[in-house]
Amino acid sequence: MSYVDRSLLPDEAVTYRTRLHWKVFAIPTLIVVFLLVPSALLALASGAPGLALIPAAVALAVLGVADIQRRSSEFAVTTRRVVIKLGVLNTRSIELLLPKVEGVEVTQTLAGRMFGYGQIIVTGSGGTRETFAGIQAPLKFRQAVQAAADRKRD
């Protein structure tokens, strides 16, 4: 069960949910393809196939860390709050009540617009600003926050 689902209040439902974009795999994949696969192939060709296990294990670890980072990050809009949770060992969670959300700023590079990711800055009352990069579909997240806030006002 996810953090968001565990933290729902009575009569509260999730209206939108997203996560980090798959781009978190880009650099780990480049490391694996250009460093670790050639290292494993060299080890196999050198007559010491046991040494090929080392770069293979490192490749699994590098890709595993990216996978855990993506799976452990949650961004949700509920009928009452904006809930954001990051991390496994060092967890950071932000929960803002919808009436306290003053704005959601979205920044997207050209690549972000092409591939559907960006940075969001959630501004709460009192001027608190929380920045989150690499969010999948940030414009939809902002739209979900605005729609939930409008429903809450009505």
Side-chain angles (χ1 to χ4, degrees):
M1 179 179 274
S2 74
Y3 173 83
V4 172
D5 294 330
R6 286 191 316 266
S7 67
L8 288 176
L9 300 171
D11 299 327
E12 183 178 29
V14 175
T15 59
Y16 184 78
R17 188 185 302 251
T18 192
R19 59 180 43 205
L20 289 177
H21 191 264
W22 56 264
K23 80 171 190 113
V24 298
F25 291 106
I27 291 175
T29 301
L30 291 174
I31 291 170
V32 168
V33 169
F34 291 110
L35 292 176
L36 299 173
V37 168
S39 298
L41 293 175
L42 280 173
L44 286 172
S46 71
L51 288 179
L53 293 176
I54 295 171
V58 172
L60 284 174
V62 166
L63 292 172
V65 166
D67 185 51
I68 289 170
Q69 180 184 9
R70 185 165 191 258
R71 287 177 187 254
S72 66
S73 300
E74 299 179 63
F75 302 85
V77 180
T78 72
T79 52
R80 296 183 182 184
R81 302 176 287 166
V82 174
V83 181
I84 299 171
K85 182 253 184 195
L86 304 166
V88 176
L89 300 176
N90 294 325
T91 302
R92 178 178 178 218
S93 64
I94 290 97
E95 299 180 17
L96 284 168
L97 296 173
L98 286 173
K100 301 293 184 187
V101 176
E102 291 183 356
V104 178
E105 178 183 333
V106 175
T107 305
Q108 286 185 293
T109 62
L110 178 61
R113 288 178 40 215
M114 289 172 48
F115 295 111
Y117 68 88
Q119 172 181 295
I120 60 170
I121 301 173
V122 180
T123 306
S125 60
T128 59
R129 293 171 53 94
E130 300 290 342
T131 303
F132 305 97
I135 307 304
Q136 182 172 289
L139 294 172
K140 288 183 181 178
F141 183 83
R142 178 178 64 191
Q143 186 179 26
V145 172
Q146 291 170 338
D150 283 347
R151 281 191 302 270
K152 192 72 175 162
R153 277 188 280 256
D154 293 342

